[in-house]
Amino acid sequence: MAEVKNKQVILKDYVSAGLPKECDMVVVATTTKLKLKEGSTGPISGFGVAKVLESKDAKFKQGDLVWGMTGWEEYSLITSNDYLFKIPTTDVPLSYYTGVLGMPGMTAYAGFYEICSPKKGETVFVSAASGAVGQLVGQFAKLVGCYVVGSAGSKDKVDLLKNKFGFDEAFNYKEEPNLDAALKRYFPDGIDIYFENVGGKMLDAVLVNMKIGGRISVCGMISQYNLVLPEGVHNLMYVVSKQLRMEGFIVSKYFPHYGKFLELVLPHIKEGTITYMEDVVEGLENAPSALLGLFAGRNVGKQVVVVSRE
């Protein structure tokens, strides 16, 4: 295809410890044929929604809308379709394919349904519950008929969990000097399922409060990502004494289940029985600050950066 002007967000250098800072990233402008020039630096990658301009893959044709792994740039050359999916319907916002109908939705589905095998009447705890994944796990739990409690980092987020997403209870972990006591308050008989997003002190407190035979799905540990020396977990012995099953997972393993996932979720979205929130930022130039805002808790729901509305 013809040469195009292309903006990219790239890292200036390697990030040797912790998370990048905004000053580690820069927006550059190039003229390109949708391929990297020899010796150039590639953009940061992430999940996005795109329109196919040209394709040599029979699965995709010009004009198709797709979601999957793309670059933080206006135009991307995608050389592998392993993580690329054709968008089946446009009667929901396209941005949903970066969230509830994309990777975060699949993450919530896989971690909750495939790993934890929930049953009606069970008790469920979700940490970082107002995020793109956590808000969906809580709603999935209510669809099954579970009692669900979420934790978040502000009063506004706690109110959203209870009043918009339908959690039975929620609490602000920053206002709880004793997480063990907080969990005993909301789960006097213990926790059947824990959807783990945080790690550290929260995981330590949860292990004490799990029921015998409980299941823990480990999606992430955001409290540990920027620590030079990660915190230790002191209560792992409860994995043995309570006969817990604790399993970490990478969502790409479950991408073959995408059709099954859509059959479950799309009707609920169209009926309004699943609610979803996005935090939208306009412009590729604002992508670095939006990324770092995730780790400061500034976003509510899925953080979306709009590169182009065409």
Side-chain angles (χ1 to χ4, degrees):
M1 61 172 293
E3 288 189 337
V4 295
K5 291 182 179 179
N6 192 28
K7 289 181 181 178
Q8 301 177 328
V9 179
I10 65 171
L11 290 171
K12 293 179 183 176
D13 206 342
Y14 291 106
V15 178
S16 58
L19 297 170
K21 302 179 290 296
E22 190 168 347
C23 61
D24 291 328
M25 293 173 272
V26 63
V27 179
V28 299
T30 61
T31 301
T32 181
K33 293 181 179 179
L34 300 189
K35 65 180 180 180
L36 292 175
K37 296 176 183 178
E38 186 176 352
S40 65
T41 303
I44 299 171
S45 61
F47 285 92
V49 170
K51 179 186 286 187
V52 176
L53 300 181
E54 185 175 308
S55 174
K56 294 182 180 179
D57 188 326
K59 294 180 182 178
F60 305 101
K61 65 179 186 298
Q62 184 177 359
D64 281 347
L65 295 170
V66 296
W67 74 268
M69 190 62 72
T70 65
W72 285 27
E73 54 187 353
E74 293 179 314
Y75 298 90
S76 290
L77 175 66
I78 299 173
T79 57
S80 171
N81 65 12
D82 290 345
Y83 299 145
L84 198 65
F85 300 87
K86 189 180 294 187
I87 289 177
T89 178
T90 57
D91 54 359
V92 296
L94 285 178
S95 58
Y96 277 21
Y97 291 94
T98 69
V100 61
L101 294 176
M103 184 273 290
M106 277 296 299
T107 301
Y109 168 82
F112 186 63
Y113 285 104
E114 299 289 341
I115 292 177
C116 291
S117 303
K119 303 177 185 64
K120 183 178 180 179
E122 289 191 313
T123 57
V124 177
F125 177 51
V126 185
S127 57
S130 67
V133 175
Q135 61 176 273
L136 293 172
V137 174
Q139 293 180 81
F140 288 160
K142 293 308 299 178
L143 290 175
V144 174
C146 298
Y147 167 83
V148 59
V149 177
S151 66
S154 72
K155 180 183 182 302
D156 289 343
K157 290 181 179 180
V158 167
D159 290 343
L160 278 172
L161 292 177
K162 293 193 290 186
N163 300 325
K164 188 174 182 67
F165 299 133
F167 284 60
D168 294 288
E169 292 289 351
F171 64 90
N172 183 348
Y173 69 90
K174 295 179 181 177
E175 296 178 348
E176 298 291 346
N178 187 324
L179 291 173
D180 176 39
L183 291 172
K184 283 182 167 56
R185 186 166 73 244
Y186 292 104
F187 298 99
D189 298 319
I191 302 167
D192 290 299
I193 293 172
Y194 173 44
F195 198 96
E196 165 69 304
N197 285 309
V198 171
K201 294 180 178 63
M202 184 65 80
L203 175 59
D204 241 353
V206 167
L207 288 170
V208 177
N209 288 279
M210 293 295 294
K211 289 183 182 180
I212 292 175
R215 291 89 74 202
I216 300 174
S217 178
V218 184
C219 171
M221 293 190 176
I222 197 168
S223 73
Q224 305 301 296
Y225 294 162
N226 208 27
L227 299 181
V228 176
L229 183 64
E231 296 173 333
V233 177
H234 304 283
N235 291 318
L236 280 175
M237 186 61 190
Y238 285 94
V239 175
V240 179
S241 62
K242 291 177 177 283
Q243 303 165 59
L244 305 178
R245 181 162 64 85
M246 186 173 177
E247 182 176 340
F249 70 101
I250 302 297
V251 66
S252 56
K253 172 184 175 181
Y254 295 92
F255 280 165
H257 297 254
Y258 187 60
K260 180 181 176 183
F261 161 75
L262 283 181
E263 289 179 7
L264 170 70
V265 176
L266 263 177
H268 287 293
I269 291 175
K270 292 176 180 179
E271 294 164 8
T273 48
I274 285 181
T275 301
Y276 192 66
M277 282 192 69
E278 299 174 316
D279 196 324
V280 179
V281 170
E282 295 279 346
L284 186 64
E285 294 83 357
N286 295 311
S289 61
L291 170 66
L292 298 183
L294 295 173
F295 301 99
R298 294 201 301 260
N299 67 302
V300 178
K302 172 65 177 177
Q303 183 70 72
V304 178
V305 176
V306 179
V307 177
S308 171
R309 290 197 176 273
E310 294 181 1

